[in-house]
């Protein structure tokens, strides 16, 4: 690196000469270091949550109770959901944001670097506390990841208080990370770069950050009300004291539904970066993609009670939430068609990031279709709390959120470490994951439509074959993630040197800044230029 391109990040490392080794990672304010910490933490939680899923699928491999007690089975389903949502997916996307957003908008670092460090280091303590509940009297929370009251307040194990504190800490971390991203994108874009010139990944995170700031306090409110009901004799959710159990569901899902979009919008951004590169075409309909993201975010606030069709809602409420839920399919459809149009008549090549991105588009669409089925109120009465719901949200979150993170890692890894990963290993990882995923979750549609309830460790004999298939698929999917870990370590340690533009063979259109000078010397706007 020449003197001319020495960035603020590098100056920081010169200043902290003695803080090497472990201390460098503890005190770092460098957005790349913090992004790396988030990604490592996310991967760790992904494997911990995945092992819990393996326990669940091992128990369901055949009918009858064989491996675990029903109570422990319920603890596993609860912890698996919480860890995957708050520990794996969200920190994974924050890691990608920390790495990429300053690079994409020409900023020297995130706007609030010390808060960035703090927002990461809260997480390991929060999840240590959550996992420690497994070893407490009465065991971990066993009321499902949605922790519906009054089950979670009246019949909860003592560890539920620690669970509530852990949720608060995760929420604080998320709000700090979101504020950081908003301030960075509004205040630290390179001079001349308007909002409508930002890459789609930056746009997707700007909108996600606003969602986080809006809904995390709602989650904080509902767990605080739980805490009061448990310890201070209030009756927010207890009908005996004049409260309303359904109130819990309204507050939880007012947080919970935007939360689903918090987990998928950054994946939309990643895929919108990858598809144009490997299609050698600019993204089709950039402006409509931005407006579709905004529309999805706004609509996500008015559909929450489609999770609650069976609580005795008035018919007017059912109609409103049914139609508003179907309406959200319109901007989502705009995005799907724009991605397909981006690939249409492009000069496509199928490197690993492209494989994950195309699988994302196809499988996320399947998840969307089953979501429209669940949006039909009278039909949802039949589907509610069956494995059909499990199949639906896993088709959204695994090939959606998880594939989005993995695609982003493959796509940007050569930029991050200067080394190229093993392409044949990457494709092996993709195909094993793709087969394992579909073998796991597709049969769940069938058993769900036939009436198999979720969150129950035993089932009727008629569901045995499909459950065996699902469990075998789950073990395959879980094992294939070890290929990914091996591939990343191998690339960093001994990968071939990456080209200056990593996807030389699939270069397409790149965001390029016009000069190699440091940030503060920019006088001309960033240029969007073709290298074809």
């Amino acid at each position: 690196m020449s003197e001319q391109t020495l960035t603020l990040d590098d100056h920081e490392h010169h200043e902290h000469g003695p803080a090497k080794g472990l201390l460098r990672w503890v005190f770092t304010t460098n957005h790349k270091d913090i992004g790396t910490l988030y990604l490592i933490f996310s991967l760790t939680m992904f494997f911990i949550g995945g092992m819990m899923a393996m326990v669940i699928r091992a128990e369901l491999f055949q009918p009858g109770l064989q491996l675990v007690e029903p109570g422990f089975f319920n603890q596993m389903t609860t912890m698996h959901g919480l860890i995957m949502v708050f520990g794996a997916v969200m920190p994974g996307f924050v890691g990608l944001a920390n790495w990429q957003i300053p690079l994409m908008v020409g900023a020297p670092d995130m706007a609030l670097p010390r808060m960035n460090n703090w927002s990461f280091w809260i997480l390991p303590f929060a999840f240590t506390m959550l996992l420690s509940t497994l070893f407490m009297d009465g065991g971990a929370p066993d009321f499902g990841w949605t922790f519906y009251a009054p089950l979670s307040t009246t019949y909860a194990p003592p560890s539920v208080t620690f669970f509530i504190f852990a949720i608060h800490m995760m929420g604080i971390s998320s709000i700090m990370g979101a504020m950081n991203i908003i301030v960075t994108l509004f205040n630290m874009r390179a001079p001349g770069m308007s909002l409508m010139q930002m890459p789609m990944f930056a746009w997707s995170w700007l909108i996600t950050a606003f969602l986080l700031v809006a809904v995390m306090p709602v989650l904080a409110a509902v767990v605080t009300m739980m805490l009061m009901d448990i310890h201070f004799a209030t009756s927010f959710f207890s009908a005996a004291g004049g409260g309303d159990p359904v109130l819990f569901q309204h507050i939880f899902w007012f947080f919970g539904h935007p939360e689903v979009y918090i987990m998928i919008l950054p994946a939309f951004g990643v895929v919108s970066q990858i598809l144009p590169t490997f299609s050698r075409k600019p993204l089709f309909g950039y402006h409509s993609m931005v407006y579709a993201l905004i529309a999805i975010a706004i609509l996500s606030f008015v559909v929450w009670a489609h999770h609650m069709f069976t609580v005795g809602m008035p018919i007017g409420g059912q109609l409103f939430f049914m139609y508003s839920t179907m309406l959200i399919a319109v901007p989502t459809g705009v995005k799907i068609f724009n991605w397909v149009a981006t690939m249409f008549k492009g000069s496509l090549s199928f490197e690993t990031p492209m494989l994950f991105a195309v699988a994302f588009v196809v499988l996320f669409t399947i998840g969307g279709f089953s979501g429209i089925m669940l949006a039909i109120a009278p039909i949802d009465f039949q589907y509610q709390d069956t494995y059909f719901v499990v199949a639906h949200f896993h088709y959204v979150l695994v090939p959606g959120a998880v594939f989005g993170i993995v695609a982003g890692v493959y796509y940007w890894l050569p930029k991050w470490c200067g080394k190229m990963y093993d392409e044949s290993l990457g494709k092996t990882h993709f195909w094993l994951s793709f087969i394992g995923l579909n073998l796991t979750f597709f049969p769940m549609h069938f058993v769900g439509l036939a009436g198999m309830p979720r969150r129950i460790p035993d089932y009727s004999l008629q569901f045995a074959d499909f459950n065996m298939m699902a469990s075998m698929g789950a073990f395959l999917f879980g094992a294939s993630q070890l290929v990914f870990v091996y591939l990343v370590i191998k690339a960093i340690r001994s990968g071939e040197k990456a080209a200056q533009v990593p996807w030389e063979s699939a270069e397409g259109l790149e965001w390029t800044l016009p000069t190699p000078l440091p940030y503060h010397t920019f006088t001309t706007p960033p240029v969007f230029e073709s290298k074809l």
Side-chain angles (χ1 to χ4, degrees):
M1 182 180 286
S2 67
E3 279 299 310
Q4 193 183 28
T5 58
L6 197 66
T7 65
L8 298 189
D9 291 346
D10 301 301
H11 285 304
E12 180 188 281
H13 284 310
H14 289 306
E15 287 166 19
H16 295 143
K20 287 178 181 161
L22 189 63
L23 282 181
R24 170 196 153 185
W25 294 98
V26 174
F27 295 118
T28 182
T29 53
N30 181 317
H31 72 98
K32 299 175 181 178
D33 287 352
I34 294 170
T36 303
L37 287 169
Y38 266 112
L39 288 167
I40 292 169
F41 176 79
S42 165
L43 187 67
T44 306
M45 286 293 131
F46 182 60
F47 275 100
I48 292 172
M51 286 189 279
M52 293 171 176
M54 296 301 101
V55 172
I56 294 165
R57 286 312 325 169
E59 175 58 59
L60 294 172
F61 187 77
Q62 59 187 36
L65 298 174
Q66 44 263 329
L67 286 177
V68 293
E69 294 291 317
F72 186 72
F73 182 89
N74 288 344
Q75 292 176 34
M76 287 291 100
T77 55
T78 303
M79 298 292 274
H80 165 72
L82 289 167
I83 284 168
M84 287 306 201
V85 169
F86 295 107
V89 171
M90 288 172 70
F93 279 127
V94 178
L96 294 180
N98 263 293
W99 252 106
Q100 288 304 123
I101 283 175
L103 302 179
M104 285 179 162
V105 300
D109 203 302
M110 297 298 277
L112 307 160
R114 290 181 191 278
M115 193 164 87
N116 205 14
N117 173 290
W118 191 27
S119 72
F120 170 75
W121 280 111
I122 285 174
L123 285 179
F125 293 96
F127 280 91
T128 302
M129 191 181 312
L130 183 65
L131 287 166
S132 72
T133 60
L134 285 163
F135 306 102
M136 294 179 185
D137 282 348
D142 57 358
F143 34 64
W145 80 273
T146 50
F147 46 96
Y148 279 6
L151 181 65
S152 56
T153 53
T154 311
Y155 306 103
S159 62
V160 72
T161 308
F162 291 84
F163 152 80
I164 289 170
F165 190 29
I167 292 280
H168 268 304
M169 290 172 76
M170 296 168 209
I172 291 166
S173 168
S174 292
I175 290 171
M176 290 201 298
M179 287 163 57
N180 212 343
I181 286 165
I182 292 169
V183 177
T184 303
L185 288 173
F186 276 142
N187 286 0
M188 298 185 70
R189 299 192 306 280
M193 179 184 269
S194 70
L195 284 171
M196 277 297 177
Q197 287 177 310
M198 292 197 309
M200 281 303 299
F201 182 68
W203 256 115
S204 69
W205 248 113
L206 180 62
I207 293 161
T208 302
F210 275 109
L211 283 179
L212 275 165
V213 171
V215 302
M216 292 316 279
V218 179
L219 178 67
V222 81
V223 294
T224 304
M225 291 156 88
M226 281 175 65
L227 194 72
M228 303 292 279
D229 274 12
I230 293 167
H231 292 294
F232 300 104
T234 57
S235 295
F236 289 110
F237 308 127
S238 168
D244 184 0
V246 177
L247 174 67
F248 177 92
Q249 295 189 33
H250 277 292
I251 302 171
F252 178 84
W253 286 115
F254 190 79
F255 149 78
H257 200 79
E259 167 66 21
V260 174
Y261 288 95
I262 286 163
M263 290 190 283
I264 203 68
L265 291 186
F268 287 175
V270 172
V271 168
S272 299
Q273 300 294 128
I274 292 171
L275 291 178
T277 301
F278 296 95
S279 303
R280 283 104 170 152
K281 282 172 63 187
L283 182 69
F284 182 88
Y286 172 89
H287 287 79
S288 65
M289 292 292 257
V290 172
Y291 296 135
L293 278 174
I294 295 167
I296 289 168
I298 292 168
L299 285 171
S300 74
F301 283 100
V302 295
V303 299
W304 77 89
H306 65 210
H307 297 267
M308 301 167 53
F309 283 141
T310 54
V311 300
M313 193 188 300
I315 193 77
Q318 290 181 34
L319 285 169
F320 172 81
F321 287 108
M322 181 166 83
Y323 289 130
S324 61
T325 302
M326 290 179 177
L327 192 61
I328 215 164
V330 176
T332 311
V334 167
K335 302 194 77 60
I336 303 272
F337 285 120
N338 281 15
W339 288 324
V340 173
T342 302
M343 292 185 279
F344 184 65
K345 290 195 174 177
S347 179
L348 274 65
S349 66
F350 292 97
E351 283 85 356
T352 310
M354 182 64 161
L355 289 173
F356 275 100
V358 173
F360 170 97
V361 175
V362 175
L363 299 177
F364 176 78
T365 305
I366 293 173
F369 283 140
S370 60
I372 289 178
M373 293 169 69
L374 288 165
I376 303 168
I379 298 178
D380 184 73
F381 295 165
Q382 179 71 26
Y383 300 156
Q384 175 76 15
D385 273 334
T386 69
Y387 261 84
F388 190 85
V389 179
V390 180
H392 158 67
F393 71 73
H394 281 90
Y395 259 93
V396 172
L397 289 179
V398 183
V402 174
F403 272 24
I405 294 168
V406 171
V409 170
Y410 276 114
Y411 185 56
W412 287 312
L413 187 68
K415 279 279 194 199
W416 296 343
C417 67
K419 306 279 187 62
M420 200 64 193
Y421 64 86
D422 183 326
E423 186 65 51
S424 61
L425 263 182
K427 286 180 174 166
T428 303
H429 171 228
F430 168 76
W431 285 111
L432 289 174
S433 295
F434 182 82
I435 293 165
L437 164 90
N438 286 291
L439 194 57
T440 307
F441 299 115
F442 208 81
M444 291 184 188
H445 291 102
F446 306 139
V447 295
L449 289 173
M452 178 175 161
R454 64 177 178 166
R455 296 182 183 173
I456 291 178
D458 193 9
Y459 53 86
S460 174
L461 199 59
Q462 71 213 43
F463 306 129
D465 291 348
F466 279 138
N467 270 290
M468 188 176 283
M469 282 171 61
S471 290
M472 290 194 294
F475 299 140
L476 174 63
F477 182 81
S480 65
Q481 304 322 305
L482 298 170
V483 177
F484 177 60
V485 176
Y486 172 72
L487 176 146
V488 171
I489 294 169
K490 182 181 174 213
I492 293 168
R493 292 182 62 177
S494 60
E496 291 179 20
K497 191 170 186 298
Q500 185 67 37
V501 178
W503 303 109
E504 204 76 69
S505 62
E507 200 170 321
L509 294 162
E510 289 275 324
W511 282 92
T512 56
L513 297 172
T515 64
L517 297 171
Y519 170 80
H520 52 79
T521 61
F522 280 131
T523 52
T524 53
V527 183
F528 186 62
E529 67 175 34
S530 170
K531 293 215 181 70
L532 294 178

